[in-house]
Amino acid sequence: MAVSQPKMDGASALAGHYPAPSGAKWAHDARASAMATFMSQGAPHKRDEYWRYTDPSALTAVPTAPAALFTSDEKPMFDGVDRVRIVFVDGVFDAAQSDDLSLAGATIETLSSAVNTDIHWAKDLFGQLEKNGQNPVQRPLAALNTAVADEGLVIHVTGKCEKPLAIRYIHNAKTSDAMVHHVIKIDAGAEFTLLESGAGAARFNSVLEVDVADNAQFHHVRTQGRDHERKTVTHMFGRLGQESVLRSFTMTVNGILTRNDAILEFTGDNAQATVAGACAGDGNGFHHDDTVFVTHDSVNCESRQVFKKVLRNGATGVFQGKILVKADAQKTDGYQISQGLLLDDNSNFLAKPELEIYADDVACSHGSTVGAIDDEALFYLTSRGVPRKQAQDMLVLAFLGEAIDEINNDELADDIRDRLAAWMERRHG
Amino acid sequence: MLKIKNLQVGLEEENKQILKGVNLEIGEGEVHAIMGPNGSGKSTTSYVLAGKDGYEVTDGSATLNGEELLDMDPEERAAAGLFLAFQYPVEIPGVGNMTFLRTAVNAQRKARGEDELSAGEFLKIVRAKAKSLEIDADMLKRPVNVGFSGGEKKRNEILQMAMLEPKMCVLDETDSGLDVDAMKLVAKGVNALRDGKRSFLVITHYQRLLDHIKPDFVHIMADGRIVKSGGPELALEVENNGYADILAEVA
Ligand SMILES: Nc1ncnc2c1ncn2[C@@H]1O[C@H](COP(=O)(O)OP(=O)(O)OP(=O)(O)O)[C@@H](O)[C@H]1O
Ligand SMILES: [Mg+2]
């Protein structure tokens, strides 16, 4: 189908807005290819099928609309965790605020340093997993990110890292428009945990490409900052080798527009992947979209998608989730659940669950529900003396808890629960 | 303690009168039993006392130590000292039984201006009380009532009652679904709470519970009213002859 003129014009305007970054030939080639992809696809538009429930115009507008900074006395996330801390301010790596780029079991570089190295392992991954993920669904904002992002981390994990790497994104400028692109290669048998937190910028576009080799593990816990006006689009492209594990969890509270895409592909047998999200949205402006695409192309792999959204005062939650099981992917176990809890009649939850299965020996299930607080449960709790608002919070946390339970690290899971509880308590005013 | 006067209750959603003028007075330390045919309004009475939504009180009052219950939110009634052991305890996935109990105990203490119990103090008390009701540690950790057997749910209600130390306990068919041993256990739990001050309203269909929890008064409810009151012998009469004679007599 020919791309419409407005989409082309949108792409040109947006592409012209970002300077072309410098890099070695391999990086230059990858970026040029991504730019060609972006220009041929055009900027995403709300008429696109994949953006049917989420209007991307705030993500494609030139220039970025300013977003007021969110100041809070709240402690930064994950500060209690023993980790290597890396800071990006409005999308720019801040060496002064960061720990040394040194983590036992891994080599960490900045993207700009890696792409200026003539011979680098990242050649095989940078822009490559993103490119693989462009089919069958176009992901123009990810292509644009590959083409123009000059910030990010390039991480080679060779052993079992004891400590997580925690990236904190600080939003400091009202009109900041940031792109970060991380590339992570986890060697066979190695293990790595990535923590991400913070709003990042007024507008934030992030891409994460992660290659999880045979028997390797990748754990990912992310919280998206509470800035009320931020706009965020993220893409995680994951490739899983044999018997590997990938677990990703995201907590989102507030923000205006958040679109989180996860694109996972099983290429080796007996691997496991989980993508989960707990989201709490308050207010008319809140729009949160989780879009997941899992491709099973190997035998006996298990994938889980668990998404929970609690919405109030006109907030909107979206889930688009697909499990594609190719003909040879026998014994696939695919699970998908998305649930919206609406605290009033003005809020919305829209879900598009999809299964596309070409193998005959698979167990796939999916479910999507939308509902209100259970009155019977609420009465039970209040009849024992728990004040109504507190009882409601308990039920909301219980609801979100099923997604939080997908994090297999108690310390991190408790941290997430505490944050959500504190956030809900503040709602009481 | 509890005074129910001419309580008339209908449904909010449909035009249906369920309670047609209930009168009942329970003194300090007394145990009253309510019996009556299915659908006569026993559970409705307990729900209206506890403050459940969906009912419309069209007339009457219900006071606890002089305070009008019907004007209070459910949590205020609980803090004022009312407790309802549900006929059908609700399962609440994702809310830990222990967390729930501690939140409830501390919310009530706070509402009454008392200090909250620390996690340690709470744990000590709850363990001891759970033990006497033969509720094991595993049940305390599980989500509220989820996957509990019928008997376990009822014992869990009594545990909550023991922890919350209410002034007025309403037990709605706490004996249903219990085997003989569990019923003795529950009765023991209830009797342990009898201290001469705390009052009980026991809704039941069977004399056998009243063998263990001895009532001072027995009332028969039929078609939204208390139609007959008497001593423990009234329960025996029901046990032997059913309701037909009593209903014929008052008709
Ligand atoms: N929410 C409701 N909607 C419709 N009808 C109701 C509702 N609550 C109570 N009723 C009706 O009111 C009547 C009294 O019900 P209630 O549960 O109080 O009876 P009960 O005496 O406790 O009976 P049982 O011995 O079977 O427990 C019944 O006819 C019941 O169907
Ligand atoms: Mg009943």
Side-chain angles (χ1 to χ4, degrees):
Chain A
M1 194 180 75
V3 175
S4 71
Q5 198 58 41
K7 281 172 71 85
M8 300 305 295
D9 294 347
S12 307
L14 198 51
H17 185 66
Y18 300 99
S22 74
K25 183 170 185 306
W26 62 268
H28 179 269
D29 290 350
R31 283 167 168 160
S33 163
M35 183 53 89
T37 301
F38 177 64
M39 293 306 293
S40 72
Q41 292 177 344
H45 191 277
K46 68 177 181 214
R47 276 195 299 272
D48 296 347
E49 180 63 21
Y50 219 47
W51 292 89
R52 200 165 135 192
Y53 302 117
T54 299
D55 180 353
S57 54
L59 299 169
T60 57
V62 182
T64 316
L69 299 174
F70 179 75
T71 44
S72 157
D73 48 4
E74 196 175 48
K75 275 196 314 206
M77 258 337 268
F78 307 130
D79 267 13
V81 179
D82 184 19
R83 82 283 189 234
V84 172
R85 173 186 145 115
I86 309 285
V87 176
F88 285 80
V89 178
D90 292 307
V92 180
F93 172 65
D94 185 330
Q97 291 196 65
S98 301
D99 292 341
D100 292 344
L101 296 182
S102 127
L103 172 65
T107 316
I108 307 166
E109 295 167 79
T110 61
L111 179 70
S112 51
S113 135
V115 294
N116 280 297
T117 308
D118 285 331
I119 296 178
H120 200 286
W121 59 262
K123 174 178 189 286
D124 295 332
L125 290 180
F126 176 67
Q128 301 307 312
L129 297 187
E130 173 261 301
K131 191 175 198 160
N132 293 345
Q134 293 289 349
N135 205 332
V137 183
Q138 297 187 347
R139 307 175 188 284
L141 292 173
L144 176 68
N145 179 300
T146 299
V148 305
D150 196 23
E151 290 284 346
L153 296 177
V154 172
I155 302 168
H156 186 191
V157 184
T158 51
K160 292 188 165 127
C161 297
E162 296 282 329
K163 284 188 200 178
L165 181 82
I167 304 179
R168 184 159 151 66
Y169 302 107
I170 295 174
H171 173 197
N172 246 356
K174 287 188 175 185
T175 54
S176 57
D177 182 14
M179 295 227 188
V180 298
H181 192 118
H182 305 303
V183 179
I184 304 175
K185 176 178 162 66
I186 308 178
D187 285 352
E191 289 176 15
F192 180 64
T193 300
L194 175 67
L195 310 177
E196 295 182 274
S197 65
R203 181 164 78 192
F204 191 62
N205 175 333
S206 101
V207 166
L208 168 64
E209 294 177 287
V210 57
D211 185 43
V212 192
D214 295 353
N215 299 296
Q217 295 199 10
F218 177 58
H219 298 271
H220 180 219
V221 177
R222 169 169 68 174
T223 64
Q224 296 179 299
R226 285 178 34 233
D227 292 38
H228 293 292
E229 298 176 50
R230 77 175 160 74
K231 293 153 231 105
T232 303
V233 56
T234 75
H235 289 84
M236 173 175 65
F237 296 91
R239 183 167 68 193
L240 286 98
Q242 195 173 311
E243 288 179 41
S244 66
V245 173
L246 179 151
R247 297 178 84 106
S248 174
F249 169 87
T250 301
M251 173 182 93
T252 311
V253 285
N254 291 354
I256 291 189
L257 177 59
T258 308
R259 163 82 171 230
N260 294 326
D261 276 57
I263 304 96
L264 304 179
E265 185 175 15
F266 287 97
T267 60
D269 299 345
N270 308 318
Q272 277 178 41
T274 299
V275 216
C279 147
D282 187 347
N284 248 322
F286 181 92
H287 187 105
H288 184 274
D289 176 340
D290 281 298
T291 292
V292 182
F293 198 115
V294 178
T295 304
H296 285 265
D297 200 7
S298 53
V299 176
N300 196 34
C301 291
E302 183 190 344
S303 69
R304 293 172 65 77
Q305 303 173 32
V306 181
F307 289 89
K308 300 272 192 159
K309 298 173 202 277
V310 54
L311 304 161
R312 70 179 91 192
N313 296 324
T316 300
V318 174
F319 174 75
Q320 305 189 94
K322 179 155 182 167
I323 306 175
L324 169 62
V325 182
K326 295 201 175 170
D328 294 332
Q330 300 297 359
K331 308 271 179 220
T332 288
D333 181 353
Y335 175 74
Q336 183 195 80
I337 181 89
S338 64
Q339 295 184 304
L341 177 63
L342 308 183
L343 298 185
D344 53 54
D345 294 341
N346 302 324
S347 303
N348 272 302
F349 177 65
L350 307 162
K352 187 180 175 195
E354 279 182 286
L355 296 177
E356 192 178 328
I357 302 175
Y358 298 100
D360 46 29
D361 182 16
V362 301
C364 284
S365 63
H366 67 104
S368 181
T369 64
V370 53
I373 286 276
D374 177 354
D375 285 338
E376 298 278 331
L378 194 63
F379 175 59
Y380 191 78
L381 296 175
T382 53
S383 79
R384 298 303 182 241
V386 181
R388 191 182 169 87
K389 282 180 175 169
Q390 203 181 342
Q392 178 164 311
D393 286 357
M394 288 174 87
L395 295 175
V396 168
L397 264 186
F399 169 81
L400 295 175
E402 287 172 55
I404 302 170
D405 287 345
E406 296 294 323
I407 305 172
N408 65 343
N409 175 316
D410 291 342
E411 187 186 7
L412 295 174
D414 286 343
D415 215 355
I416 297 281
R417 267 187 215 98
D418 291 348
R419 290 303 164 119
L420 282 166
W423 181 79
M424 285 188 295
E425 207 171 310
R426 279 193 299 275
R427 305 285 96 186
H428 296 179
Chain B
M1 174 73 63
L2 180 69
K3 279 187 195 163
I4 305 176
K5 272 194 206 141
N6 187 32
L7 186 61
Q8 301 198 25
V9 172
L11 291 173
E12 252 170 23
E13 302 264 297
E14 48 185 294
N15 189 10
K16 180 176 174 184
Q17 189 77 5
I18 300 174
L19 301 184
K20 302 173 179 171
V22 175
N23 289 290
L24 182 64
E25 213 166 295
I26 300 179
E28 198 177 271
E30 292 175 358
V31 177
H32 290 234
I34 294 189
M35 305 180 84
N38 293 133
S40 54
K42 304 181 298 296
S43 291
T44 302
T45 306
S46 72
Y47 285 147
V48 170
L49 289 175
K52 191 175 187 198
D53 282 343
Y55 299 101
E56 195 189 349
V57 178
T58 49
D59 204 356
S61 75
T63 57
L64 185 66
N65 294 324
E67 284 185 280
E68 182 55 75
L69 288 173
L70 303 179
D71 295 340
M72 299 182 199
D73 288 331
E75 61 266 32
E76 294 169 334
R77 302 180 195 207
L82 181 78
F83 181 91
L84 167 62
F86 286 75
Q87 182 172 1
Y88 305 108
V90 184
E91 297 192 4
I92 311 182
V95 175
N97 210 12
M98 198 77 130
T99 313
F100 159 55
L101 253 179
R102 188 150 84 92
T103 309
V105 168
N106 281 334
Q108 288 202 18
R109 293 179 74 98
K110 201 173 150 195
R112 292 193 293 255
E114 300 163 12
D115 283 342
E116 296 187 13
L117 288 181
S118 73
E121 288 169 309
F122 172 81
L123 207 63
K124 233 174 94 183
I125 302 172
V126 82
R127 283 215 178 112
K129 300 206 168 176
K131 197 166 166 228
S132 71
L133 286 161
E134 296 181 16
I135 291 175
D136 59 32
D138 176 54
M139 253 171 79
L140 290 175
K141 279 191 216 131
R142 271 153 55 187
V144 178
N145 294 325
V146 177
F148 288 24
S149 73
E152 286 170 344
K153 283 181 184 163
K154 296 302 177 77
R155 272 186 279 153
N156 198 32
E157 293 291 288
I158 302 304
L159 174 65
Q160 291 172 25
M161 190 167 90
M163 288 305 298
L164 293 169
E165 301 184 323
K167 295 180 180 138
M168 177 73 231
C169 308
V170 181
L171 287 78
D172 190 2
E173 293 198 29
T174 301
D175 53 337
S176 68
L178 293 183
D179 63 41
V180 181
D181 295 329
M183 197 181 63
K184 282 185 187 158
L185 212 57
V186 161
K188 199 180 100 189
V190 171
N191 288 328
L193 288 169
R194 292 190 66 176
D195 60 359
K197 290 192 152 175
R198 186 169 288 126
S199 309
F200 295 84
L201 177 61
V202 181
I203 298 170
T204 183
H205 286 294
Y206 303 107
Q207 166 62 31
R208 81 183 175 159
L209 179 69
L210 303 180
D211 286 340
H212 299 286
I213 306 173
K214 298 220 154 50
D216 302 303
F217 300 94
V218 174
H219 310 276
I220 308 299
M221 180 171 268
D223 192 24
R225 285 188 192 90
I226 286 179
V227 294
K228 187 166 181 179
S229 297
E233 72 288 348
L234 195 51
L236 288 169
E237 193 185 326
V238 169
E239 181 86 353
N240 295 330
N241 308 330
Y243 293 109
D245 293 352
I246 297 172
L247 296 185
E249 173 191 323
V250 299

